[in-house]
Amino acid sequence: MRHGRRLAGGTAAVLLMVTGLIGAAPSAASAAVTPALTDAVTAKLLGTVQMSSAARPETRVTVSRTSGRWAFGTAVALAPRQEGAHPTGSIFIARSEPAGWRIAFDGEAAFGALASESPLTTSQERDVLTTTPMYAGGDYRTGMALPFGVGQTWTLTSGPHGWGGSESPYSSVDLAGGDQVVRAARAGAAYTMCQGWIRVIHDRGYSTDYYHLWNSISVNGASVGQGAVLGNTGTDVTCGGAAYGRHVHFGLRQNSAYVPIAGHDIGKWVLANGAAAYQGGARHGSAWAGAGAGIYNYGALGFNQGVVDANGGGTLTRRAGPGTGYGSLGSVADGATVTISCSANGTSHTGRYGTTALWNRLSDGSWVSDAYLSTGVNGPVNGWC
């Protein structure tokens, strides 16, 4: 590719609206829900939120689990109910220590370390919460499908834009149509951030956000599979923002922050920015779908797979070796999914995303130039031959 529970101890869930300053540290003997805990979480949350000096956002901390010195929950900064605004928030783990509360948000390295120690996390949660965070670094594979049923076509109502609107990074897209059922893009642990907003934490440091949901499930770390129902498209703005017509606002995060969705493969489409927010679109092979066009969910692209992009041509020639000097073994159609066994250098070719001498040996033994494959990696995806 050239592109880039039960609540421990029977403690009931507690919903707290918090606005205070950090208070005195609690005793390390107990993690009782106190103003000191919620104030500490709020202070950390506000440190991650961009805001004007004139207005501090209303914040909501939900402590959903406690046990001994430990607490677990969500922290959300609500947004104004206006266009170009969306709530922001994090899942947190907190541990009471003699010096005060130690708090980590999802995506931070410290979050995984605390999750591995905490009695509040299930074994299924730990599988994703303790994943060593990674950064793209030229690897944009997500293993994600689009957030609706495989085999359906929905409308890409808005191309890449910021989670809150026009700001960078352009982490999000809007999707609508089909059966209106919103589904998890990849397996992971799911959490209700607030009404109409669910976050699913996946492997590889990724998480996905789904907002404006109607009839959404209520989850507190539930393990969900790829394609699990999260709710329906809607216009819910309980936590802020605006929605004009039913849709899901789908955002991509990695390591505690929203990241550019462009270049990532989701549902075997590579997202691409436009000249401005809400423009752009997605590409599958040589096929392009701009904002307002239909987009078909082909399912997830495997980490050792690629989508043929013949750069406008109808087919890609398969060779007996890594170069055009080898005999032809037939062809593969533009947009087809191929599985890669290994890679080697051969003759150089120029495709949509640049020039490369890399060739990929397919699972059937034939070879194709990497210049005409979209894999999510600028290099071998399954080692060298």
Side-chain angles (χ1 to χ4, degrees):
M1 171 200 109
R2 316 314 307 159
H3 57 69
R5 97 191 128 194
R6 209 165 50 200
L7 300 176
T11 306
V14 180
L15 178 66
L16 295 143
M17 301 296 291
V18 293
T19 56
L21 302 174
I22 296 177
S27 164
S30 173
V33 179
T34 66
L37 168 60
T38 53
D39 288 350
V41 173
T42 302
K44 181 174 176 67
L45 172 66
L46 292 176
T48 67
V49 176
Q50 294 182 353
M51 56 183 174
S52 68
S53 58
R56 181 178 117 158
E58 181 182 1
T59 55
R60 181 178 298 167
V61 172
T62 303
V63 181
S64 56
R65 314 175 205 171
T66 64
S67 178
R69 299 183 299 126
W70 295 86
F72 187 102
T74 57
V76 174
L78 278 63
R81 293 194 179 188
Q82 62 187 43
E83 189 172 354
H86 278 85
T88 59
S90 295
I91 299 153
F92 74 86
I93 296 178
R95 183 174 66 191
S96 174
E97 299 178 346
W101 286 100
R102 183 183 178 193
I103 301 164
F105 285 172
D106 63 284
E108 298 176 340
F111 185 85
L114 286 177
S116 67
E117 301 175 33
S118 175
L120 300 176
T121 55
T122 67
S123 59
Q124 291 88 349
E125 281 180 291
R126 292 190 195 108
D127 287 342
V128 291
L129 300 187
T130 61
T131 299
T132 302
M134 63 169 290
Y135 292 89
D139 186 344
Y140 293 89
R141 294 175 294 179
T142 67
M144 295 180 190
L146 286 161
F148 54 88
V150 173
Q152 290 191 24
T153 298
W154 284 29
T155 300
L156 181 69
T157 56
S158 297
H161 55 281
W163 176 250
S166 298
E167 86 287 353
S168 295
Y170 292 171
S171 62
S172 310
V173 294
D174 295 330
L175 296 155
D179 61 3
Q180 306 285 2
V181 177
V182 178
R183 299 175 181 272
R186 183 166 173 80
Y191 302 85
T192 296
M193 302 300 293
C194 62
Q195 182 173 317
W197 175 16
I198 289 176
R199 175 170 298 167
V200 181
I201 300 181
H202 313 286
D203 52 6
R204 299 169 61 81
Y206 284 112
S207 60
T208 48
D209 280 6
Y210 312 75
Y211 191 39
H212 303 315
L213 300 181
W214 168 77
N215 197 31
S216 59
I217 62 175
S218 178
V219 278
N220 177 22
S223 179
V224 296
Q226 188 170 69
V229 174
L230 302 180
N232 301 95
T233 58
T235 57
D236 187 278
V237 291
T238 300
C239 295
Y244 306 101
R246 291 180 62 176
H247 69 280
V248 59
H249 183 60
F250 175 74
L252 183 68
R253 292 169 58 89
Q254 191 177 35
N255 304 326
S256 77
Y258 292 104
V259 294
I261 200 168
H264 288 88
D265 183 288
I266 300 177
K268 299 185 182 179
W269 291 83
V270 180
L271 279 299
N273 291 338
Y278 300 98
Q279 298 179 14
R283 187 179 299 281
H284 173 80
S286 296
W288 170 258
I295 186 167
Y296 180 87
N297 190 2
Y298 293 94
L301 185 69
F303 293 140
N304 64 338
Q305 293 184 320
V307 174
V308 175
D309 182 347
N311 200 17
T315 61
L316 175 63
T317 300
R318 297 184 296 110
R319 298 283 178 178
T324 51
Y326 292 88
S328 171
L329 297 179
S331 62
V332 60
D334 182 85
T337 300
V338 295
T339 299
I340 299 167
S341 299
C342 56
S343 301
N345 286 318
T347 54
S348 182
H349 298 274
T350 300
R352 187 179 308 282
Y353 303 104
T355 301
T356 181
L358 189 71
W359 281 68
N360 298 305
R361 186 176 188 271
L362 304 184
S363 56
D364 64 1
S366 65
W367 294 77
V368 295
S369 169
D370 193 63
Y372 304 106
L373 287 187
S374 173
T375 63
V377 179
N378 191 9
V381 299
N382 204 18
W384 296 94
C385 296

